[in-house]
Amino acid sequence: MDPSDQKHFTDVDYVIFAALLAASVGIGLYYAFSGGRQRTTQEFLMADRSMSCLPVSLSLIASFQSAVAIIGVPAEIYTHGTQYWFIGCAYILGLLVPAHVFIPVFYRLRISSAYQYLEMRFSKAVRICGTLTFIFQMVIYMGVCVYTPAFALNAVTGFELWGVVLATGFVCMLYTTLGGLKAVIWTDVFQTVVMFAGQLAVIVVGVQKTGGVSEVWRKVWEGNRISGLNLNPDPTERHTFWTLGVGGVFLMLSLYGVNQAQVQRYLSSRTEKEAIRSCYMVFPSLQLALALSCVMGLVMFARYYGEDISDTLCNSSSEAMVIYFVMDMLQGLPGLPGLFIACLFSAALSTISSALNSLATVTMEDLIKPHFPAMSEARATLLSKALAMSYGLLCLAMAYLTHLMRNSVLQVALEIFGMVGGPILGLFCLGMFFPWANSIGAVAGLFIGLAVAFWVGIGSITMRPPTLDCGVILLPDNTTAIQMAVSNVTQRYELLGPHTQYAITTLTDNLGIPLFFSKPSGLKRFYSLSYMWYSGFNCCTVILTGLIISFLTGPMKEDDVKPGTIYPLLGKLLYFLPEELKKNFCCVTPLGQTVAAQQTSPPHHEEMNGVVSQEKTSQDERETFLPEENTHVVIHETAV
C-alpha cells in the first residue's frame, strides 16, 4: 500500500493497545503470586480442576475466535456474500456431541491430556503418534495467528511489523509461563469482552457513516451479497449448505471434541456438569461472534459499494483490506481504532496462549512423564514452564517463516490445520465408537489418513491456476467490471486472499465478454474438493482404514478393552437388536466401571496420568452409558 494512503494511530490509540498488553501481563502476575503460586503441575496445567463454567465457556470461545477469523470472515462476506453464515448450523451438532460424548469419557477417566486416552484405549505408540501430530498442527497454526494481524496492521498503518510480532509473542509467553492455565482462562475472559466491544464499535460507526441500516441493506441487496440457501450437493462447490452445515460439523468436532486446547479447559472444570454446561454456553456466544463478523463484512461492502478501491489496496491481502476499512471508519474518533486493534490482538493472544499451554501439557504428560515417573513435582512444574516458553520462541520462529513465504503460506497453513485435524478426530472416533479397532489399525489408519489428507490438500494447492491480475469495481448498476491483465484466462481465479476461489461459467452480458469454462474432471476434480470437507473426508478415511486393518490383523476382544474407553454409539443406534446380540456385536463396556478400575489400579497409572485424586468420586460419575431400566440418573446428569 502507498504510504500516502496509510492510516495512523493517535496517542489515545497507543494507550489503549498498551493497556491490553499490560492487563494480560497483570492477570498472569496475579495468578503467579496468588493461591498455590503455580507450584504443581496440577495447578499450572489443569488450574487445580477448580474452574466454573462461565470463565471456561468464554475461554473456549476466545481459543476458537482467532485473529484469522476476526479479519477473515468479514473479508469472506465482503467478497462472496452471506453463504458462509450457514456454518452456524454446524455449531449445533458440533457442540452437542462433545457435551454428551467426548466430555463424559475424558472427564471420568481423570486424564490431563486427551492423548492419554489413546494409550488407555490402544497403546503407547498410538498415544505418541497422536501427540506428535497435534504438536505439528499447533506449531504451524501459531505462526500464522501471530503473524497475520501484525502483517495486516503493518500494511495499513505502517506499524513496525516485528515490533508487533515480538510484543505479542513475549507478552503471551510471559503470562502463560507465570500464571499457568488459570491466567490463560481469565485473560481469555477479558480478551473476549474486548473482542466483542471492538467489533461492535466498528459496526455502529460504519452503519452511521454509510447512511443508516436501511441504506446498508439496500446496497448489499443490490450488490447480491445476501445469499439464499444453496442446496447443491456437489462436494467441489466451495460453500453450500452441505459443505458448511455438514462438513462444518466435522470441523467443529475436531476443534471442540478432541483438540487438546479445548479438552484441557473441560478437564479444568470443577465437575463434569460444569464442563457440560460450559460447552452449552459456548453456543450462543459463538453465534454472536459469527453474526458480528458477518454484519461487519456487509457494512464494509455497503461502505465501498460503487467505489474503486483497487488502486488504494494495490496487492494488499484481504486481511489488510479489513484493517483499512476499520481505520477508514474510525479515523478521527480517538481511541476507537486502538480498541479494534486491541480486539484483533486479543484474538491472537488468546489463541496463542491456549496453544502454548496445551503444547506444554501434551509434551509433559505424553512425552516426558512416562519416561521419568519419579520426577519430583517441583521439577515437573519448572519443566512445564520452560516448555511453554520454548514453544513461545518456536512460535516467533514460525512467524518469521510465514513472513518469508508471504501470502501463500496463509492459505497453505489454514488448509494444513484442517487436514491434520480430521485424521486426529478420526483416530479418537475409531477408538471411542468401534470396540473392534486395535492399535495396529489405529496407527495405520492415522498415517494413511494423513497421507491422503496431504495428497488432496497439496494437490489442490499445486493444481490451482495462477492468480489473475485484476481489479474489481463495484458499480451501482449491479454489475461487476473486471479488468483482466492476462492473455490466457484460466478456469478459476483467486480474489482477495485465502479460501476465496470460485468457478465462473460466464461473465455477465453487461461486460460484453462472455467467457466459457469447462468443469474440472478426473484427478483435478478430486483436488477441487471443498476445503470444508477436508475434516470429514480425512476422518472417515482414518476410520475405514483402521477398521479394515483391525479386522485383517485380528479385532480386539471385549476383555482386552479397558473399561470406560468405549462410548456405545453402535449399541444406541442398533437399539432394536436383542440385548445379548447387541452386547456381542457392539462390545458395550459401561463407563461406570472406570472408577472401580482406577481405585484398584496400581500406583504407576496415577503417575503416568499426572493425576492424584484427592476426593471421592461422586455417585453421578459411577453411572453407566447404558443404565438398567430402573436407573434414570444419566439422563438428568448429562442434561443442562
Side-chain angles (χ1 to χ4, degrees):
M1 182 179 291
D2 193 320
S4 62
D5 293 321
Q6 289 183 337
K7 309 294 182 180
H8 300 286
F9 268 19
T10 64
D11 293 339
V12 179
D13 297 321
Y14 282 108
V15 169
I16 290 178
F17 183 50
L20 165 75
L21 300 180
S24 299
V25 173
I27 294 172
L29 291 173
Y30 173 78
Y31 284 104
F33 298 107
S34 65
R37 299 189 177 184
Q38 311 300 319
R39 289 174 178 167
T40 66
T41 53
Q42 272 294 93
E43 184 177 12
F44 182 75
L45 300 176
M46 302 302 298
D48 271 341
R49 301 184 188 267
S50 62
M51 303 303 297
S52 60
C53 60
L54 180 60
V56 170
S57 64
L58 291 176
S59 181
L60 289 168
I61 298 163
S63 302
F64 174 78
Q65 194 76 353
S66 69
V68 175
I70 290 282
I71 56 182
V73 174
E76 165 68 27
I77 300 299
Y78 174 89
T79 308
H80 298 294
T82 57
Q83 188 68 224
Y84 183 80
W85 209 327
F86 285 107
I87 197 173
C89 299
Y91 293 172
I92 302 171
L93 277 179
L95 292 170
L96 277 176
V97 173
H100 294 287
V101 177
F102 293 109
I103 290 178
V105 171
F106 291 144
Y107 199 92
R108 297 179 194 185
L109 289 173
R110 304 295 291 176
I111 56 181
S112 299
S113 161
Y115 302 97
Q116 289 174 249
Y117 166 83
L118 295 178
E119 181 174 355
M120 294 179 177
R121 173 63 180 86
F122 294 115
S123 65
K124 183 172 290 187
V126 180
R127 176 182 182 177
I128 292 174
C129 290
T131 300
L132 294 177
T133 305
F134 170 76
I135 291 173
F136 171 74
Q137 176 191 35
M138 294 306 293
V139 165
I140 290 180
Y141 194 60
M142 277 197 306
V144 175
C145 285
V146 73
Y147 179 79
T148 301
F151 174 73
L153 191 62
N154 169 262
V156 176
T157 66
F159 231 55
E160 177 57 40
L161 175 65
W162 291 107
V164 176
V165 170
L166 291 175
T168 305
F170 281 118
V171 165
C172 213
M173 273 192 291
L174 189 60
Y175 75 76
T176 304
T177 303
L178 292 176
L181 185 59
K182 278 187 180 178
V184 171
I185 289 177
W186 283 109
T187 49
D188 284 351
V189 172
F190 166 69
Q191 289 158 1
T192 301
V193 174
V194 174
M195 278 191 280
F196 286 154
Q199 287 181 297
L200 196 58
V202 173
I203 291 171
V204 170
V205 175
V207 169
Q208 183 182 11
K209 288 192 174 183
T210 307
V213 175
S214 59
E215 185 66 11
V216 170
W217 176 259
R218 183 186 69 81
K219 290 182 176 180
V220 298
W221 182 262
E222 290 180 357
N224 290 325
R225 286 306 182 270
I226 305 300
S227 305
L229 188 64
N230 184 355
L231 295 176
N232 186 352
D234 186 358
T236 63
E237 190 78 16
R238 184 173 170 272
H239 282 166
T240 66
F241 174 78
W242 306 113
T243 60
L244 294 165
V246 180
V249 170
F250 290 94
L251 180 63
M252 289 292 294
L253 290 178
S254 68
L255 285 169
Y256 281 92
V258 299
N259 188 286
Q260 172 64 23
Q262 312 295 56
V263 170
Q264 200 167 336
R265 280 152 179 73
Y266 301 142
L267 299 177
S268 71
S269 301
R270 285 193 293 244
T271 64
E272 182 183 322
K273 288 182 180 179
E274 293 277 336
I276 293 172
R277 286 194 185 102
S278 68
C279 198
Y280 270 91
M281 291 175 68
V282 169
F283 179 75
S285 302
L286 275 182
Q287 294 289 0
L288 175 61
L290 178 64
L292 287 174
S293 296
C294 291
V295 171
M296 184 175 158
L298 292 176
V299 174
M300 183 165 64
F301 179 87
R303 170 65 182 83
Y304 298 118
Y305 184 62
E307 297 181 17
D308 181 11
I309 58 173
S310 57
D311 291 337
T312 302
L313 292 172
C314 295
N315 295 321
S316 297
S317 64
S318 58
E319 291 82 8
M321 181 186 69
V322 175
I323 301 293
Y324 177 85
F325 162 72
V326 170
M327 298 298 292
D328 186 28
M329 289 294 94
L330 303 182
Q331 200 73 27
L333 299 172
L336 289 185
L339 178 62
F340 182 80
I341 298 306
C343 153
L344 186 61
F345 280 87
S346 290
L349 287 171
S350 61
T351 303
I352 299 163
S353 62
S354 300
L356 295 181
N357 195 267
S358 61
L359 286 168
T361 302
V362 297
T363 304
M364 189 68 200
E365 297 293 334
D366 300 325
L367 301 180
I368 296 177
K369 268 194 175 181
H371 298 286
F372 301 95
M375 183 184 296
S376 67
E377 193 65 30
R379 179 170 293 183
T381 305
L382 185 62
L383 182 56
S384 298
K385 294 179 179 182
L387 285 170
M389 183 167 288
S390 300
Y391 278 118
L393 295 173
L394 184 58
C395 167
L396 296 178
M398 287 303 302
Y400 182 70
L401 182 61
T402 305
H403 169 71
L404 293 179
M405 297 182 71
R406 292 290 178 177
N407 292 344
S408 62
V409 77
L410 300 179
Q411 184 162 353
V412 172
L414 286 172
E415 290 182 347
I416 286 177
F417 190 76
M419 286 187 283
V420 177
I424 292 178
L425 173 64
L427 184 62
F428 279 93
C429 291
L430 180 67
M432 203 170 289
F433 303 144
F434 301 95
W436 321 286
N438 59 28
S439 58
I440 299 175
V443 172
L446 178 62
F447 280 110
I448 293 175
L450 287 170
V452 172
F454 278 92
W455 173 43
V456 175
I458 295 174
S460 69
I461 295 170
T462 56
M463 297 296 291
R464 187 173 296 146
T467 303
L468 298 186
D469 183 13
C470 62
V472 176
I473 309 172
L474 302 172
L475 301 177
D477 63 348
N478 197 26
T479 64
T480 304
I482 304 180
Q483 304 151 351
M484 299 184 180
V486 293
S487 54
N488 296 322
V489 180
T490 54
Q491 173 223 341
R492 289 173 178 256
Y493 68 93
E494 290 180 353
L495 178 65
L496 301 171
H499 297 306
T500 54
Q501 256 186 28
Y502 54 94
I504 326 171
T505 54
T506 181
L507 296 181
T508 60
D509 293 336
N510 293 351
L511 300 177
I513 46 171
L515 298 173
F516 297 92
F517 305 95
S518 61
K519 287 187 177 182
S521 58
L523 201 57
K524 288 186 178 180
R525 183 165 177 79
F526 186 58
Y527 289 149
S528 299
L529 182 70
S530 170
Y531 74 99
M532 288 300 299
W533 283 115
Y534 280 3
S535 290
F537 174 72
N538 298 329
C539 174
C540 293
T541 300
V542 172
I543 292 174
L544 291 175
T545 306
L547 286 176
I548 292 172
I549 293 178
S550 293
F551 279 114
L552 291 177
T553 57
M556 288 192 74
K557 298 178 181 178
E558 182 176 3
D559 294 339
D560 299 329
V561 178
K562 184 178 177 66
T565 57
I566 298 292
Y567 181 87
L569 177 67
L570 294 177
K572 290 177 179 291
L573 293 177
L574 303 176
Y575 63 92
F576 51 86
L577 292 178
E579 199 65 34
E580 188 62 29
L581 179 61
K582 186 165 60 175
K583 182 179 179 182
N584 293 335
F585 184 67
C586 302
C587 187
V588 175
T589 305
L591 185 67
Q593 295 179 18
T594 304
V595 176
Q598 285 185 334
Q599 289 174 345
T600 58
S601 61
H604 70 87
H605 284 297
E606 294 186 352
E607 292 174 357
M608 178 189 70
N609 297 336
V611 177
V612 180
S613 179
Q614 296 178 345
E615 58 182 4
K616 293 183 179 179
T617 308
S618 59
Q619 179 64 30
D620 60 358
E621 291 182 353
R622 292 191 177 97
E623 300 299 331
T624 66
F625 275 126
L626 294 176
E628 300 296 332
E629 292 182 0
N630 61 347
T631 304
H632 305 283
V633 180
V634 173
I635 299 174
H636 300 289
E637 187 269 325
T638 57
V640 177

